[in-house]
Amino acid sequence: DAKTTQPPSMDCAEGRAANLPCNHSTISGNEYVYWYRQIHSQGPQYIIHGLKNNETNEMASLIITEDRKSSTLILPHATLRDTAVYYCIVRVPPSSNTGKLIFGQGTTLQVKP
Amino acid sequence: GAGVSQSPSNKVTEKGKDVELRCDPISGHTALYWYRQRLGQGLEFLIYFQGNSAPDKSGLPSDRFSAERTGESVSTLTIQRTQQEDSAVYLCASSLRPDRGIFLNTEAFFGQGTRLTVV
């Protein structure tokens, strides 16, 4: 699986958009970009994933650059409950051979009032 | 059940004892994963099951660690002769396998974990 690089920490004001960057310059053609977050003392929670097109769901938007070497997770209106560690992961979907998610150190997002 | 269930939620054991941790995945999820998270650290991959087979055991730290899965459902992670460095939260996750190349709904759903403390 390709490695990812994320800033260790970020702050965001409550109600503003949080933009979390991720570099994955060695991503291969069949690898997807997944985002998870882990709120303190809980298991990781899936947020969104994509291959090459931008994606949006009820939680967030995912913007992937045309060369797929980087992406940005956007939380449009951050709340205090969005304070968590956010993980960017690139992987192939589960198959008969593989499927593990490799978690890096992630970005600790602190949403402030 | 609605989500991934793990038991026990907390386990305190004496050094040298064996422990078994249980994971009940979401019904119908063929993929199952075990991770370990030490205090203040990231998630370490341990093992991946597809059905009852484990094609990837590369993360198991030593031969004291083993896992099995039966009925393409429940999985048990066993740690023999526990050591203090085994203290961590052990997380289980499950997901669907892509159907004929359609990669929707392949996200992993995690349980709340078992907090293991070896004293």
Side-chain angles (χ1 to χ4, degrees), chain B residues 35-103:
Chain B
Y35 286 82
R36 176 172 73 177
Q37 188 170 32
R38 292 191 169 112
L39 185 63
Q41 303 295 311
L43 283 87
E44 299 175 70
F45 167 78
L46 297 178
I47 188 169
Y48 162 69
F49 285 92
Q50 183 58 251
N52 294 331
S53 300
D56 192 343
K57 306 178 183 179
S58 61
L60 294 177
S62 75
D63 58 7
R64 296 188 296 106
F65 287 73
S66 63
E68 66 172 13
R69 188 179 185 196
T70 57
E72 298 198 354
S73 180
V74 173
S75 177
T76 302
L77 177 68
T78 302
I79 308 173
Q80 295 178 309
R81 305 180 302 281
T82 52
Q83 304 293 314
Q84 288 186 329
E85 63 261 27
D86 299 334
S87 296
V89 175
Y90 288 82
L91 290 155
C92 176
S94 70
S95 70
L96 289 169
R97 176 177 173 171
D99 181 24
R100 294 190 294 274
I102 298 173
F103 298 124

Side-chain angles (χ1 to χ4, degrees), chain A residues 27 29 31-33 49-55 62-68 70:
Chain A
I27 192 170
E31 289 181 314
Y32 284 64
V33 180
H49 76 280
L51 181 62
K52 54 184 178 181
N53 298 323
N54 297 338
E55 302 288 343
L62 174 61
I63 309 297
I64 303 174
T65 58
E66 191 170 345
D67 63 7
R68 302 211 320 125
S70 65

